[in-house]
Amino acid sequence: MVGMDQIAMNMQNGQDLQNQAIGKEKMEKEKRSEKTMNVPFIDLKTQYRTIKTEVDVAIQNILDTTAFVLGDAVKKFEEDFAKFCGAKHAIAVNSGTAALHIALLAHGIGQGDEVITVPNTFFATAEAVALCGATPVFVDVDPTTFNMDPYKIEPAITDKTKAIIPVHLYGQPADMDRINEIAKKHNLLVMEDACQAHAASYKGKRTGSLADIAAFSFYPGKNLGAYGEAGMLMTDDGLIAEKCRRLRSHGEDPKYTHHVIGLNYRMSGIQGAVLGVKLKYIEMWTQMRQKNAALYTNLLADTPITTPTIAKDRTHAFHLYVVRLPPGTDRADVQARLKARGIASGLHYPIPLHMQPAFKDLGYLQGNFPITEGAAQDILSLPMYPELTLEQIQHTVETLLEVVQ
Ligand SMILES: *Cc1c(COP(=O)(O)O)cnc(C)c1O
């Protein structure tokens, strides 16, 4: 028998439970907004979901036709990407590093030669030079764009200099007119390291068409990313294109006739198929990145955080959104506190190339490149990808300002 008192008690319990539930929900809501919103550095899964049907069909087609190495899908992607960049020839390879390497080999660069590049880049830029037996010669970067400072090039030129490799760092084209002008004067090759700058432009021309030759990476995390390793070379020079084509495949032409010692740097069929699908979206994804960058920049205006500068006559593809923290900030602490609130961050790049153990023999010293070294101390890369939401950007900025103070 359940009496009135019992009913009242049950009702009270029910009310308590409900109050508890409301309290819990409120707490969780607060926890979500203050602490646990997940902002990954990059999110490839979300992007895959938006193109899954097309990508799955393209991959299935490679499985059905067993065109696993080079093949029609790769050839089609070479043609499409060359057209997209405004270049005559594209040579598909299996990484950006491979592209940089064989471009130098195709130009006969090797032992005893010097190649001018920047210390503020990913290791592969200078690694490719060393792989050919040539010597990387570093010049410092511009303090506003972090790209090669053209005024530092001429003092570094010697009678051994053969080439200049500007890097379109973070997705912003280097100052190509000045660099090309100096190269012309000294009869040097210019190669764009465009590995971070698909679909960026300089004076209305796309990367890949801004110098003698260009190297792209399609590493999964790049703006145009494969589902494995891939890369590409871009040039208007038919003879060089032919040399690169041979070099990527054991110096062979036709099959089993080997003209030179080459490498096995061929792009896989599945990567060509995936990239062919993704190329259709690169302009849209680039616009989404640019919009996200503009949001970050607006929200960070008039704060102690220094936001990226876009130089005149250029579009920035925002592979990375890199800010500078106020001097003296404990960056490791900032990163740890961001991470505790679910926000990923990165450093591009914490150790300049002239300070890398592998380049010890080049004989550079701390202090040789103050702009690069200064940047290495206070840069911070914030989450950046096309599908990043407004809420994620707001949460990142609010939390960053809170932890930097
Ligand atoms: C990614 C990258 C490379 C190397 O490309 P991989 O495809 O990883 O070999 C070279 N240079 C720069 C600037 C890069 O960002």
Side-chain angles (χ1 to χ4, degrees):
M1 214 28 223
V2 180
M4 282 301 284
D5 287 354
Q6 187 68 45
I7 290 167
M9 226 169 85
N10 285 351
M11 275 173 71
Q12 185 57 48
N13 282 348
Q15 191 62 49
D16 285 351
L17 281 173
Q18 206 179 334
N19 284 345
Q20 264 178 34
I22 289 169
K24 211 169 143 204
E25 195 184 290
K26 202 173 152 204
M27 252 171 60
E28 270 174 6
K29 212 172 183 176
E30 270 169 15
K31 217 163 109 195
R32 266 205 304 279
S33 69
E34 279 183 13
K35 286 206 164 63
T36 57
M37 184 187 283
N38 187 33
V39 192
F41 195 68
I42 177 168
D43 180 1
L44 298 178
K45 282 183 199 154
T46 298
Q47 183 165 91
Y48 171 59
R49 267 185 249 117
T50 67
I51 52 172
K52 180 174 165 35
T53 316
E54 270 179 283
V55 166
D56 290 2
V57 167
I59 292 175
Q60 188 61 51
N61 180 49
I62 300 296
L63 300 180
D64 291 338
T65 59
T66 69
F68 294 122
V69 178
L70 297 177
D72 290 345
V74 170
K75 195 153 186 277
K76 173 87 168 52
F77 176 62
E78 284 179 335
E79 288 163 10
D80 291 348
F81 196 51
K83 202 182 285 167
F84 180 84
C85 295
K88 284 202 185 113
H89 309 280
I91 302 97
V93 292
N94 57 3
S95 73
T97 308
L100 291 162
H101 186 197
I102 58 175
L104 294 169
L105 290 177
H107 287 90
I109 290 167
Q111 199 85 40
D113 296 332
E114 292 177 356
V115 176
I116 294 174
T117 189
V118 285
N120 189 32
T121 178
F122 179 59
F123 185 67
T125 313
E127 184 182 37
V129 175
L131 272 174
C132 298
T135 305
V137 172
F138 298 120
V139 297
D140 212 349
V141 295
D142 175 278
T144 56
T145 63
F146 302 119
N147 275 330
M148 180 178 275
D149 182 346
Y151 295 101
K152 303 275 166 64
I153 298 172
E154 281 198 298
I157 294 175
T158 71
D159 53 8
K160 292 178 181 166
T161 309
K162 289 279 151 42
I164 308 173
I165 312 179
V167 179
H168 305 319
L169 197 70
Y170 308 149
Q172 171 158 226
D175 194 351
M176 294 310 294
D177 277 0
R178 288 228 177 81
I179 294 167
N180 283 328
E181 205 175 290
I182 294 164
K184 199 169 169 196
K185 186 170 146 200
H186 296 271
N187 195 27
L188 304 172
L189 168 81
V190 179
M191 167 156 65
E192 303 170 65
D193 181 337
C195 290
Q196 301 187 357
H198 322 71
S201 64
Y202 177 88
K203 299 194 174 168
K205 283 173 76 183
R206 285 229 172 94
T207 52
S209 66
L210 303 175
D212 299 305
I213 193 160
F216 285 92
S217 166
F218 306 117
Y219 181 76
K222 298 292 163 81
N223 289 24
L224 183 56
Y227 289 174
E229 305 278 358
M232 191 166 277
L233 278 162
M234 204 64 82
T235 181
D236 282 345
D237 185 330
L239 216 66
I240 289 293
E242 216 36 63
K243 280 189 181 174
C244 291
R245 235 172 259 286
R246 284 180 176 181
L247 283 166
R248 82 170 163 188
S249 192
H250 307 291
E252 149 184 278
D253 183 24
K255 207 167 167 72
Y256 301 129
T257 304
H258 303 269
H259 300 270
V260 290
I261 305 298
L263 292 140
N264 178 357
Y265 276 173
R266 296 174 300 233
M267 186 188 280
S268 89
I270 286 179
Q271 304 318 330
V274 169
L275 289 165
V277 170
K278 291 184 81 174
L279 180 59
K280 292 188 275 179
Y281 299 94
I282 188 65
E283 282 192 272
M284 181 182 82
W285 286 331
T286 304
Q287 283 163 15
M288 288 162 81
R289 284 175 183 273
Q290 289 164 340
K291 191 170 150 243
N292 293 340
L295 278 169
Y296 268 132
T297 298
N298 284 338
L299 291 171
L300 287 166
D302 307 316
T303 73
I305 310 293
T306 308
T307 55
T309 303
I310 307 175
K312 197 161 73 54
D313 298 326
R314 282 165 243 197
T315 67
H316 194 316
F318 283 103
H319 172 55
L320 294 165
Y321 187 86
V322 181
V323 299
R324 292 187 78 158
L325 301 176
T329 305
D330 182 347
R331 185 173 58 186
D333 181 60
V334 167
Q335 286 196 280
R337 290 167 74 185
L338 288 173
K339 194 173 167 210
R341 305 272 197 96
I343 301 163
S345 62
L347 302 177
H348 301 88
Y349 292 89
I351 308 173
L353 296 194
H354 67 291
M355 292 284 102
Q356 291 291 348
F359 287 136
K360 196 174 70 226
D361 292 348
L362 296 177
Y364 288 104
L365 300 169
Q366 182 98 42
N368 282 158
F369 304 108
I371 308 294
T372 294
E373 290 167 28
Q377 295 303 311
D378 57 26
I379 42 164
L380 185 71
S381 308
L382 302 181
M384 174 52 83
Y385 51 90
E387 301 81 6
L388 202 60
T389 66
L390 173 63
E391 290 72 25
Q392 286 174 313
I393 293 170
Q394 281 169 335
H395 177 61
T396 301
V397 169
E398 277 162 23
T399 312
L400 178 66
L401 291 175
E402 218 175 288
V403 302
V404 166
Q405 277 137 24

